[in-house]
């Protein structure tokens, strides 16, 4: 699998899993989904999103010219930090907290829950998504100036303060929730960019192809 195809499918996966998280999250807030279905449907795609985003950023980094690779590498590094933090959070939710709640609740579900501000792992989760937003922000200079992809990466990155500061001002969640639009859009545009680049490359005759 060439790097452009790798990047395309990784970005598609990140797009799908971000939508897969966003829909249950909205349905939970609307009161349509209840425990434990809501948390399972939220945490499972979130866990899958983490490596998908890292792989998408790896694909982006691999396709950048040398002068711009410091920006894409910085974005990839922050993406790895994000994925490490949130993966730990979601594995704990799925393997320990949800079963503990189903059993009636205990110290594990109280201490390690991730559904309310004030819980330690909620802060870790918010830090993770802050790093994710910063990853797109610092990677943006590696993208074509004026492109929709670059603007979307920047827009997603500018949400970072509204994510981490929810630990102090919970009301910022309504601004941070714009991530539900900016991030999937960024991944969709990134996938489109990989596909367009691949199509352009395929249209250029290889050396010796006419002989």
């Amino acid at each position: 699998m060439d790097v452009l195809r790798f990047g395309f499918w990784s970005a598609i996966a990140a797009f799908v899993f971000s939508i897969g998280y966003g829909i249950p999250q909205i349905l939970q807030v609307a009161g349509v989904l209840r425990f434990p279905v809501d948390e399972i449907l939220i945490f499972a795609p979130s866990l899958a999103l983490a490596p998908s985003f890292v792989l998408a950023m790896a694909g982006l980094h691999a396709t950048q010219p040398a002068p711009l690779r410091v920006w894409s590498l910085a974005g990839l590094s922050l993406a790895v930090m994000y994925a490490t933090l949130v993966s730990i959070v979601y594995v704990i939710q799925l393997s320990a907290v949800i079963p503990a709640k189903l059993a009636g609740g205990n110290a594990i579900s109280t201490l390690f829950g991730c559904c309310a501000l004030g819980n330690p792992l909620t802060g870790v989760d918010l830090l993770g998504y802050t790093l994710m937003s910063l990853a797109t922000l610092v990677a943006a200079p590696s993208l074509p100036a004026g492109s929709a992809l670059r603007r979307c990466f920047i827009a997603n990155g500018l949400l970072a303060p509204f994510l981490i500061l929810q630990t102090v001002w919970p009301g910022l969640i309504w601004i941070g929730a714009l991530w539900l639009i900016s991030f999937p859009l960024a991944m969709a545009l990134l996938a489109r960019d990989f596909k367009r680049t691949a199509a352009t490359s395929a249209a250029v005759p290889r050396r010796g192809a006419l002989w």
Side-chain angles (χ1 to χ4, degrees):
M1 178 180 292
D2 60 55
V3 65
L4 292 172
R5 188 176 301 174
F6 175 89
F8 171 79
W9 286 113
S10 298
I12 287 293
F15 168 78
V16 169
F17 289 127
S18 63
I19 294 295
Y21 153 76
I23 293 175
Q25 181 69 81
I26 293 172
L27 293 177
Q28 182 197 55
V29 173
V32 176
L33 293 179
R34 302 289 184 179
F35 179 83
V37 175
D38 58 345
E39 293 190 11
I40 293 172
L41 292 181
I42 287 172
F43 293 131
S46 296
L47 181 60
L49 171 60
S52 300
F53 178 58
V54 171
L55 295 179
M57 294 298 285
L60 174 63
H61 175 60
T63 59
Q64 299 308 300
L68 299 176
R69 298 191 81 193
V70 64
W71 300 108
S72 57
L73 179 59
L76 174 59
S77 300
L78 291 173
V80 171
M81 294 172 66
Y82 142 78
T84 301
L85 290 176
V86 301
S87 294
I88 293 172
V89 172
Y90 301 142
V91 166
I92 291 174
Q93 304 310 304
L94 292 168
S95 65
V97 173
I98 293 176
K101 288 182 178 180
L102 289 172
N106 56 29
I108 291 177
S109 60
T110 300
L111 181 60
F112 295 104
C114 183
C115 293
L117 293 174
N119 289 348
L121 289 187
T122 301
V124 175
D125 190 45
L126 287 171
L127 174 60
Y129 276 89
T130 301
L131 291 169
M132 172 198 260
S133 290
L134 291 175
T136 62
L137 183 63
V138 301
S142 69
L143 301 170
S147 66
L149 178 58
R150 182 170 181 169
R151 289 195 297 268
C152 198
F153 263 51
I154 293 173
N156 187 72
L158 293 177
L159 293 177
F162 303 101
L163 296 171
I164 191 61
L165 290 178
Q166 288 177 43
T167 56
V168 181
W169 296 296
L172 292 177
I173 190 173
W174 299 109
I175 300 177
L178 292 173
W179 178 95
L180 294 170
I181 300 172
S182 63
F183 182 81
L185 180 58
M187 292 300 100
L189 291 173
L190 180 59
R192 185 189 68 173
D193 190 68
F194 280 126
K195 188 172 184 178
R196 283 182 172 177
T197 303
T200 301
S201 300
V204 177
R206 295 181 180 178
R207 181 175 297 180
L210 298 178
W211 297 93

